[in-house]
Amino acid sequence: MSAAAAVIEQSTVRFEIPSDRNAILSSWLRSYYRQKPRAVAEMKPETYFAEHQALIKQILEREETVVLVVPSPAAEAHLCSWLCGEVRPRELVLHWGVTFRFARANGFFDALLERLLAERGDRQLIYTHSTKSSRAFAEKHGATFNPMRLFA
């Protein structure tokens, strides 16, 4: 059993519920912005936050979207980690995910990633946000960067 699988067995992994939405939206916007990827570096902050928030809301409403979360064992309303992707007929699209600072080094993100990758099958693996860590993930898993999947 992998370390990630052990984390899944010891933790509650569930799908997003409506009360998770604000934490997911807020942490997605802030964490991606803090990484200062080239796509964001030249944008005014107010443009980034308004436009990317609208886009994330669209992604979260898509039928194919899956958001897996690990809630805090202390309080179900607080999240330790979350991961957003889309399971499409020919593609598994990974958008973004966050493990909150207080929960890092527990393997939560790897556990969520392993759970979502289990849906890959023969689907092409796509990622939509290019950062140092996502490029390392891509190299390890044979994923292709395609930010156009943010819009379709």
Side-chain angles (χ1 to χ4, degrees):
M1 172 184 308
S2 71
V7 169
I8 288 174
E9 281 191 5
Q10 296 168 9
S11 305
T12 303
V13 175
R14 62 169 170 75
F15 293 104
E16 169 204 26
I17 57 175
S19 60
D20 299 333
R21 184 62 56 99
N22 286 339
I24 291 167
L25 186 59
S26 172
S27 60
W28 187 336
L29 287 166
R30 287 183 287 114
S31 65
Y32 185 62
Y33 185 77
R34 276 194 302 257
Q35 297 212 19
K36 295 290 185 201
R38 191 174 24 210
V40 173
E42 297 180 25
M43 294 176 80
K44 292 181 179 179
E46 57 273 14
T47 302
Y48 164 78
F49 283 101
E51 297 293 330
H52 209 66
Q53 179 174 347
L55 180 58
I56 293 168
K57 285 180 177 180
Q58 290 174 4
I59 291 166
L60 293 173
E61 293 301 322
R62 292 181 190 157
E63 184 177 322
E64 302 91 352
T65 297
V66 174
V67 181
L68 298 173
V69 303
V70 176
S72 168
E76 178 80 10
H78 297 283
L79 304 182
C80 291
S81 188
W82 62 267
L83 176 64
C84 177
E86 290 181 72
V87 181
R88 297 179 176 192
R90 293 186 180 90
E91 299 171 332
L92 177 60
V93 181
L94 299 177
H95 288 298
W96 196 250
V98 169
T99 296
F100 293 94
R101 184 163 293 171
F102 73 90
R104 291 194 182 139
N106 289 311
F108 293 135
F109 192 79
D110 287 341
L112 293 175
L113 190 56
E114 186 173 295
R115 182 83 161 264
L116 194 56
L117 286 174
E119 299 299 320
R120 183 175 184 182
D122 61 353
R123 293 177 176 90
Q124 180 181 9
L125 187 58
I126 305 287
Y127 68 105
T128 59
H129 289 69
S130 182
T131 63
K132 185 178 179 179
S133 58
S134 66
R135 289 187 297 273
F137 163 82
E139 188 172 317
K140 179 179 179 181
H141 294 281
T144 302
F145 177 58
N146 187 347
M148 296 302 110
R149 291 299 183 260
L150 290 164
F151 308 101

